[in-house]
Amino acid sequence: PRAMPQPDFRSPAPASLSGLPPSPSERPRTGEASAEDVRRAAPSLLGVRRDPPSLPSRRDFLTAVPSRRAPGDDYWIRVHRRAMACRFEITLASGDAASVPAARAALNEIDRLEDQLSVFRDTSAISDLNRRAAREAVVVDRDLADLLIDCRELAGATGGAFDITSTPLSRCWGFLARDGRVPSPEAIDKARALVGFDAVCLAGIDGARPTVRFERPGIELNLGAIGKGYALDRVARDLR
């Protein structure tokens, strides 16, 4: 085999590799390294390994202060309110900032619907129905009548699995007072005897004064399973 020439380590290094900056008149030629090249390559030449930059820890990430956006950047505007035991939020793009008053008006409508539909408001239309409808026919407004018609159709389509007259069962299990418990079989049977949409009579639903009457005492309506979705549908309709 041919002998390979060995480098002569005794020969002085060129000025451009000595670590001294080249003179202004001296410019690196092709194949030569500048002082800046040597500075960047020094760690690897000396056997020093550069570790990649470390990622921020979870704590650093969560506690970081966000940078300020430039005035022209896009951003989200969130208009929200607590109602019906949950958070309702309308999200607008920054270009739709002029619609913030409309978003607030929509949330006002949700507040109005809660006042009308909640069993936890003594002055609501539903609470009034629960107090009076077993004794007399109670006049309700057109929107509430339409909602009750939808509930009746859902009860029929699901074979009674969806039933807004289940309030006695909710009370029996402690759900209304947020005090859950396991009732006795006798208490469950007693509550079930008071449940059934077939005992809710809707009359005059095609006229200007629809009425609701319960055919037996103990019936109570609770729109908790449909009220939030109904409110969202109403707000979406109004915003369009």
Side-chain angles (χ1 to χ4, degrees), residues 97-125:
S99 297
V100 167
R104 288 174 176 161
L107 295 178
N108 290 340
E109 174 65 6
I110 290 176
D111 283 339
R112 188 191 71 80
L113 291 173
E114 182 176 24
D115 287 340
Q116 181 187 34
L117 305 178
S118 176
V119 295
F120 299 102
R121 305 282 175 92
D122 290 338
T123 57
S124 72

Side-chain angles (χ1 to χ4, degrees), residues 3 45 91 100 116 129 147 167 175:
L45 293 174
T91 304
V100 167
Q116 181 187 34
L129 274 176
L147 177 58
T167 305
F175 297 149

Side-chain angles (χ1 to χ4, degrees), residues 128-138 212-215:
D128 185 51
L129 274 176
N130 290 339
R131 284 191 298 266
R132 299 169 51 206
R135 301 190 310 268
E136 59 183 311
V138 180
V212 179
R213 179 162 185 151
F214 301 156
E215 295 184 351

Side-chain angles (χ1 to χ4, degrees), residues 4 13 41 49 61 66 76 98 109 132 144 146 152 198 212 221 232-233 236 239:
M4 299 297 293
R49 189 183 70 178
F61 177 79
W76 295 112
E109 174 65 6
R132 299 169 51 206
L144 180 54
D146 289 341
R152 181 175 63 183
D198 59 318
V212 179
L221 305 183
L232 288 175
D233 288 343
L239 288 176

Side-chain angles (χ1 to χ4, degrees), residues 2-11:
R2 294 172 54 187
M4 299 297 293
Q6 299 296 319
D8 185 1
F9 293 103
R10 295 172 299 174
S11 59

Side-chain angles (χ1 to χ4, degrees), residues 25-157:
S25 60
E26 178 182 334
R27 297 184 181 277
R29 296 185 299 275
T30 302
E32 290 187 355
S34 65
E36 179 64 18
D37 295 331
V38 173
R39 185 185 66 80
R40 292 177 179 175
S44 59
L45 293 174
L46 297 175
V48 178
R49 189 183 70 178
R50 289 182 182 271
D51 292 327
S54 59
L55 296 174
S57 67
R58 182 172 180 269
R59 180 183 297 274
D60 293 338
F61 177 79
L62 293 177
T63 58
V65 177
S67 59
R68 292 183 177 273
R69 295 179 179 273
D73 286 351
D74 289 336
Y75 54 91
W76 295 112
I77 301 171
R78 292 181 171 85
V79 186
H80 56 85
R81 188 172 303 171
R82 185 82 179 171
M84 299 185 182
C86 68
R87 172 184 169 120
F88 286 84
E89 179 176 295
I90 299 173
T91 304
L92 304 170
S94 57
D96 295 325
S99 297
V100 167
R104 288 174 176 161
L107 295 178
N108 290 340
E109 174 65 6
I110 290 176
D111 283 339
R112 188 191 71 80
L113 291 173
E114 182 176 24
D115 287 340
Q116 181 187 34
L117 305 178
S118 176
V119 295
F120 299 102
R121 305 282 175 92
D122 290 338
T123 57
S124 72
I126 290 297
S127 293
D128 185 51
L129 274 176
N130 290 339
R131 284 191 298 266
R132 299 169 51 206
R135 301 190 310 268
E136 59 183 311
V138 180
V139 177
V140 296
D141 67 29
R142 179 77 264 161
D143 289 336
L144 180 54
D146 289 341
L147 177 58
L148 294 178
I149 292 171
D150 289 342
C151 290
R152 181 175 63 183
E153 293 176 354
L154 284 171

